[in-house]
């Protein structure tokens, strides 16, 4: 099932992440990019539409045979639910209502969380902002796989299993690498989500609940859209720790594929990131990028030089201020 991957450790570097310096350089040359910052007025309406679509789907699947429930779960529900997780990613940067209404964004993220079934929006924001501020930071950035993942998932078959189990590892990794005290918002997120799940079961039965939960797990596992998990920061080329994707699936994922642009300017909504690339094209055109997330998944599994250890990591210096 493939040779054992030769890599036995992360790619340790002793330099700062590249995004802050590139941001300063681009803003000095193109100050008009600041006009792209701020909330996206369309985002809240798109999210509301997606939530309503899933609510309609819950009603439609309740009377289907189980084989069709499972079919639509993967063919449709998994796509919508993965897209909803990326809507929550957008909202975590306050792009729904702006920085002046931060709590509106938090509560709206819980609303967007409802069709996903798993309460995670409040926790995601706390860890995701650390990922931006301390990209690759040892013991801080929980986007980086644990030592166990790097050590164990080291053959083609095991990497295949690891990709299927991505939702599990994303859930438990923060608890192992960087546990944080539970906040009131996280408790509220759990209470709201569990209440919704119970109400859905009481009103429509088990099939919509299975459609919802399985759709989230399948959509974040072995699924074309989940290629972005690997594409964003796994080191396919030495010296490059962030990669963009310029393909059609950006239409379903709030342009999360524009990942170099996003890390350079996290306060710019995804809808406007293509404008960043257009304005400052000389900074992005020559960077390595992808056009297929499916190919990313295939190459990651089949390339015996790649594993969960294929991440750039750095030891942080000075004061670390976490969310």
């Amino acid at each position: 099932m493939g040779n054992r991957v030769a890599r036995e450790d992360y790619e340790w570097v002793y330099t700062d992440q590249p995004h802050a310096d590139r941001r300063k350089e681009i803003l000095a040359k193109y100050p008009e990019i600041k006009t792209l910052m701020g909330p996206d007025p369309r985002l809240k309406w798109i999210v509301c539409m997606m939530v309503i679509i899933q609510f309609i789907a819950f009603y439609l699947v309740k009377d289907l045979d189980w084989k069709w429930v499972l079919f639509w779960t993967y063919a449709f529900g998994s796509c919508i639910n993965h897209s909803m997780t990326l809507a929550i990613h957008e909202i975590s940067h306050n792009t729904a209502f702006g920085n002046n209404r931060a709590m509106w964004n938090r509560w709206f993220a819980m609303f967007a969380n409802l069709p996903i079934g798993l309460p995670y929006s409040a926790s995601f924001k706390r860890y995701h902002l650390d990922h931006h501020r301390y990209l690759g930071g040892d013991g801080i950035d929980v986007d980086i796989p644990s030592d166990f993942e790097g050590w164990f998932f080291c053959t083609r078959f095991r990497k295949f299993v690891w990709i299927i189990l991505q939702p599990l590892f994303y859930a438990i990794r923060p608890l192992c690498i960087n546990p944080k005290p539970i906040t009131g918002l996280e408790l509220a997120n759990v209470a709201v989500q569990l209440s919704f799940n119970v109400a859905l079961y009481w009103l429509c039965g088990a099939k919509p609940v299975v459609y919802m939960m399985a759709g989230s797990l399948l959509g974040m596992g072995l699924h074309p859209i989940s290629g972005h998990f690997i594409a964003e920061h796994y080191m396919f080329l030495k010296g490059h720790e962030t990669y963009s994707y310029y393909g059609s699936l950006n239409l379903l994922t709030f342009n999360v594929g524009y990942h170099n642009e996003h890390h350079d300017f996290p306060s710019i909504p995804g809808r406007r990131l293509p404008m960043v690339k257009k304005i400052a094209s000389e900074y992005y055109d020559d960077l390595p990028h992808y056009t297929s997330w499916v190919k990313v998944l295939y190459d990651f599994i089949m390339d015996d030089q790649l594993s969960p250890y294929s991440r750039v990591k750095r030891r942080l210096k000075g004061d670390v201020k976490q969310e």
Side-chain angles (χ1 to χ4, degrees), residues 87-122:
I88 290 171
H89 165 257
E90 279 282 286
I91 299 166
S92 73
H93 291 285
N94 292 339
T95 55
F97 298 99
N99 293 325
N100 293 331
R101 294 173 173 173
M103 285 305 300
W104 288 31
N105 290 284
R106 302 292 76 73
W107 288 107
F108 189 60
M110 292 186 200
F111 169 73
N113 199 151
L114 291 178
I116 296 172
L118 307 169
Y120 90 105
S121 65

Side-chain angles (χ1 to χ4, degrees), residues 216-237:
S216 296
L217 296 174
L218 292 171
M220 290 185 283
L222 190 65
H223 193 281
I225 298 178
S226 71
H228 80 87
F229 289 130
I230 305 298
E232 290 167 357
H233 297 293
Y234 284 79
M235 194 182 66
F236 280 64
L237 293 175

Side-chain angles (χ1 to χ4, degrees), residues 236-306:
F236 280 64
L237 293 175
K238 189 175 179 66
H240 295 275
E241 60 182 305
T242 305
Y243 302 77
S244 287
Y245 156 82
Y246 304 127
S248 58
L249 288 177
N250 277 316
L251 296 172
L252 297 176
T253 59
F254 299 90
N255 282 334
V256 75
Y258 286 78
H259 217 66
N260 266 302
E261 296 85 347
H262 172 61
H263 270 264
D264 288 350
F265 299 100
S267 60
I268 295 180
R271 185 168 65 90
R272 301 179 191 140
L273 289 176
M275 288 183 269
V276 173
K277 183 179 184 297
K278 182 178 180 180
I279 293 170
S281 58
E282 70 270 28
Y283 289 92
Y284 299 109
D285 286 349
D286 292 333
L287 293 177
H289 60 271
Y290 305 109
T291 57
S292 170
W293 278 333
V294 173
K295 188 175 187 303
V296 167
L297 290 172
Y298 177 83
D299 289 347
F300 180 80
I301 293 169
M302 301 304 293
D303 190 334
D304 293 332
Q305 300 301 312
L306 297 171

Side-chain angles (χ1 to χ4, degrees), residues 164-238:
I164 293 174
L165 298 178
Q166 279 289 290
L168 172 65
F169 287 109
Y170 267 93
I172 65 175
R173 195 183 295 148
L175 304 177
C176 300
I177 295 177
N178 186 17
K180 297 182 178 184
I182 297 175
T183 66
L185 274 177
E186 288 173 305
L187 292 175
N189 191 187
V190 171
V192 168
Q193 190 63 56
L194 291 181
S195 298
F196 175 79
N197 293 357
V198 170
L200 180 63
Y201 177 78
W202 183 68
L203 291 170
C204 298
K207 290 176 181 178
V209 176
V210 171
Y211 167 87
M212 174 177 65
M213 302 289 283
S216 296
L217 296 174
L218 292 171
M220 290 185 283
L222 190 65
H223 193 281
I225 298 178
S226 71
H228 80 87
F229 289 130
I230 305 298
E232 290 167 357
H233 297 293
Y234 284 79
M235 194 182 66
F236 280 64
L237 293 175
K238 189 175 179 66

Side-chain angles (χ1 to χ4, degrees), residues 64-100:
L64 294 179
D65 290 339
W66 276 108
K67 63 180 179 182
W68 290 111
V69 172
L70 297 178
F71 171 81
W72 288 113
T73 293
Y74 190 80
F76 183 77
S78 62
C79 299
I80 295 291
N81 277 12
H82 197 135
S83 185
M84 290 302 303
T85 67
L86 295 169
I88 290 171
H89 165 257
E90 279 282 286
I91 299 166
S92 73
H93 291 285
N94 292 339
T95 55
F97 298 99
N99 293 325
N100 293 331

Side-chain angles (χ1 to χ4, degrees), residues 18 60 87 203 315 318:
L60 293 176
L203 291 170
R315 291 187 173 90

